[in-house]
Amino acid sequence: MDLLDNLALGFSVALSLQNVFYCFVGALLGTLIGVLPGLGPVATIAMLLPLTFGLPPVSALIMLAGIYYGAQYGGSTTAILINLPGESSSVVTAIDGHQMARKGRAGAALATAALGSFFAGSVATLLLALFAPPLANLALQFGPPEYFSLMVLGLIASVTLASGSVVKAIAMIVLGLILGLSGQDIYTGTPRFTFDMQELSDGFDFVALAMGMFGISEIIRNLEDEHQRSLVAAKVKSLMLTKEEFKRIIAPVLRGTVIGSFLGILPGGGAMLSSFASYSIEKKISKYPREFGRGAIEGVAGPESANNAGAQTSFIPMLTLGIPSNPVMALMIGALIIQGITPGPNVVTEKPDLFWGVIASMWVGNFMLVLLNLPLIGMWVRLLTVPYHVMFPAIIAFCCIGVYSVNNNTFDVYTMALFGLLGYALVKLDCEPAPLLLGFVIGPMLEEYLRRAMLISRGDPTVFVTRPISAVLLLLALAALVVVLLPSVQKGREEAFKE
């Protein structure tokens, strides 16, 4: 009965006129940036963070969540129609989705992506409602040593699941941790790493760093390589699936939902890893393996379901433990902190309207996305003809205005520009910037729990291994690091990411 009461509270919050409007705005913006290649949800949410300051916390989080899962829907449209994924998790969808479009089945591919996404998103939201509260209750038993060990595990897991070199991923996390330490000491108030600059007394601004690393650097990268886009199916014909196609997508959608729901919870996992895993499994167990790469409908149904399920369940560790499982969740935590809310297990009990309102809004948002994506497909197709060099000056101007409006400080604009150049340089050096953002967000919390644990234990470091939960979490972190450093695992990992 508690679950039904809580969901009733959630729907009463989510279905208020104001929150329905912000849910719609989030879903619409998410679809838009998913459709436009080069602008992912991380860049967009980073750019829109300043707009959330004037909103109530529930409305702000509902809108940002809508952008995230809306981008998963929208990304499949460009992947299918022009073989250019609008979002990283749609890379796999392009393999078979575009081949279907070339055969005149673009409508069926788009319908498969939308229906699979809707089903997976709805099921994953139900799992979020079922498992998040018990996990939050368990987390209330955690003390500073357990939280420290959990955050170490989260950082190590994000290294193991990041693409590219393990050493580079670790370096990115360390760089993020160092940047997070800039500012005043949390207990003594002594300035550190400020280089005698008054503007750095509170550390680097989160919004400026996020907008620079993911917004500005993405724009520079896309301007460098402006794609020549050619629409395969400017006029999408029937969106109806044949009876045979409908039968073939049922099992992949179910499998994709299960895979995505599980992998979305893991730090560093989320939508992208889920879609790759689903495609690999479908290819191995399919009755039609030769069709893969040539327009197999399972190659659209499985990954699209997985990436949407992964996007929804990645909210579980963020809402219950205050730990981001991917860069978007790190931005969500930043949005909550900006609103004066400490992410973690207390959110469930202290802010039930926020917790259950966001969960209920996901069902509302998923329903809106089906209505937005299929009937308005013609509008999204026309948008693909807008050239980058027209869009990006407006986006940069929006970034500058947004980051300045946070603190009314020109230093933040310079900081954003600096991190934009740094982000671009890191991408050129094959260093993934996502672990840096996770390190930057988790760093100050990691330090606080480490120092609290040491104060409680009177400087005895064995407190981390003598408490059972803390010891188990540290052992898991060590095991994950050892496994990923094994030569055979490293080789397989590199091959998987190449594929």
Side-chain angles (χ1 to χ4, degrees):
M1 283 303 288
D2 278 352
L3 179 64
L4 293 176
D5 291 342
N6 288 326
L7 286 175
L9 168 68
F11 278 109
S12 70
V13 172
L15 292 173
S16 71
L17 205 59
Q18 182 186 23
N19 288 334
V20 167
F21 171 72
Y22 284 114
C23 185
F24 174 75
V25 168
L28 185 69
L29 276 173
T31 305
L32 174 66
I33 58 107
V35 165
L36 295 172
L39 272 184
V42 181
T44 308
I45 291 172
M47 290 175 208
L48 292 177
L49 273 181
L51 292 183
T52 64
F53 299 152
L55 300 179
V58 186
S59 303
L61 213 60
I62 283 174
M63 184 176 78
L64 295 179
I67 291 170
Y68 181 40
Y69 50 79
Q72 312 302 324
Y73 274 75
S76 61
T77 304
T78 42
I80 290 165
L81 294 181
I82 60 172
N83 199 24
L84 193 63
E87 218 282 300
S88 59
S89 58
S90 301
V91 170
V92 186
T93 309
I95 300 169
D96 284 290
H98 187 61
Q99 292 303 320
M100 284 181 72
R102 292 181 69 152
K103 291 175 182 176
R105 299 294 292 143
L110 290 165
T112 300
L115 294 172
S117 297
F118 176 72
F119 176 80
S122 302
V123 171
T125 306
L126 179 63
L127 293 174
L128 176 57
L130 288 170
F131 292 110
L135 191 60
N137 290 334
L138 174 68
L140 288 170
Q141 315 300 318
F142 283 19
E146 285 80 12
Y147 265 113
F148 172 80
S149 302
L150 185 66
M151 285 174 185
V152 169
L153 174 62
L155 288 174
I156 297 293
S158 70
V159 166
T160 60
L161 297 172
S163 61
S165 160
V166 174
V167 176
K168 285 180 180 176
I170 293 171
M172 287 297 93
I173 281 188
V174 172
L175 182 58
L177 291 171
I178 292 168
L179 289 170
L181 292 175
S182 175
Q184 294 180 342
D185 183 281
I186 53 174
Y187 288 120
T188 64
T190 309
R192 57 188 187 185
F193 303 123
T194 59
F195 307 101
D196 290 330
M197 295 169 76
Q198 187 63 39
E199 292 90 349
L200 287 178
S201 57
D202 288 329
F204 288 102
D205 184 67
F206 173 76
V207 177
L209 183 137
M211 281 173 116
M213 291 291 292
F214 293 96
I216 303 295
S217 68
E218 193 72 21
I219 288 165
I220 299 169
R221 207 153 58 92
N222 282 301
L223 283 174
E224 177 190 57
D225 178 31
E226 185 164 344
H227 300 281
Q228 294 301 307
R229 292 175 278 184
S230 58
L231 285 175
V232 167
K235 233 181 181 179
V236 176
K237 294 165 192 165
S238 169
L239 292 166
M240 295 300 290
L241 296 170
T242 64
K243 197 174 176 183
E244 174 64 21
E245 283 173 335
F246 192 76
K247 272 186 193 171
R248 281 177 64 176
I249 69 167
I250 293 171
V253 165
L254 293 172
R255 279 191 293 266
T257 303
V258 172
I259 293 164
S261 298
F262 173 69
L263 289 178
I265 300 167
L266 301 177
M272 187 175 172
L273 192 71
S274 306
S275 60
F276 275 90
S278 172
Y279 189 81
S280 301
I281 288 169
E282 291 307 323
K283 196 174 178 181
K284 278 176 186 163
I285 64 173
S286 174
K287 292 177 185 173
Y288 316 95
R290 291 191 177 183
E291 282 188 31
F292 277 77
R294 295 173 188 163
I297 197 164
E298 295 91 340
V300 177
E304 275 301 302
S305 305
N307 76 36
N308 275 272
Q312 311 298 73
T313 55
S314 61
F315 280 85
I316 293 178
M318 190 278 283
L319 286 171
T320 57
L321 303 171
I323 290 181
S325 57
N326 56 48
V328 174
M329 292 303 118
L331 292 168
M332 297 277 187
I333 284 179
L336 283 174
I337 292 169
I338 286 163
Q339 293 275 3
I341 296 166
T342 306
N346 291 324
V347 170
V348 183
T349 49
E350 291 174 8
K351 300 269 182 187
D353 56 329
L354 173 86
F355 183 82
W356 293 103
V358 169
I359 289 175
S361 77
M362 290 179 184
W363 274 303
V364 178
N366 270 294
F367 181 67
M368 282 181 179
L369 282 163
V370 172
L371 299 180
L372 274 173
N373 274 268
L374 294 180
L376 299 178
I377 198 71
M379 184 178 83
W380 303 125
V381 168
R382 275 192 288 278
L383 262 175
L384 294 172
T385 57
V386 178
Y388 278 137
H389 62 264
V390 173
M391 282 192 297
F392 283 164
I395 294 168
I396 288 181
F398 181 76
C399 283
C400 293
I401 294 164
V403 83
Y404 177 78
S405 68
V406 177
N407 299 315
N408 293 332
N409 189 350
T410 50
F411 181 78
D412 290 343
V413 180
Y414 297 133
T415 305
M416 177 185 73
L418 176 70
F419 280 114
L421 293 172
L422 176 65
Y424 175 71
L426 290 174
V427 169
K428 284 289 168 192
L429 294 167
D430 285 331
C431 293
E432 201 180 330
L436 185 147
L437 187 68
L438 294 179
F440 182 77
V441 170
I442 289 179
M445 295 191 280
L446 190 76
E447 183 201 6
E448 187 179 344
Y449 287 120
L450 171 65
R451 290 175 71 170
R452 269 198 216 168
M454 295 302 279
L455 281 169
I456 291 165
S457 66
R458 299 189 178 184
D460 180 12
T462 59
V463 68
F464 297 107
V465 290
T466 52
R467 293 175 65 141
I469 297 174
S470 175
V472 168
L473 292 169
L474 285 177
L475 279 172
L476 287 171
L478 184 65
L481 195 58
V482 168
V483 166
V484 84
L485 290 173
L486 290 173
S488 58
V489 174
Q490 266 192 312
K491 192 180 174 188
R493 184 175 170 274
E494 282 166 21
E495 283 171 7
F497 279 117
K498 270 181 193 170
E499 190 183 333

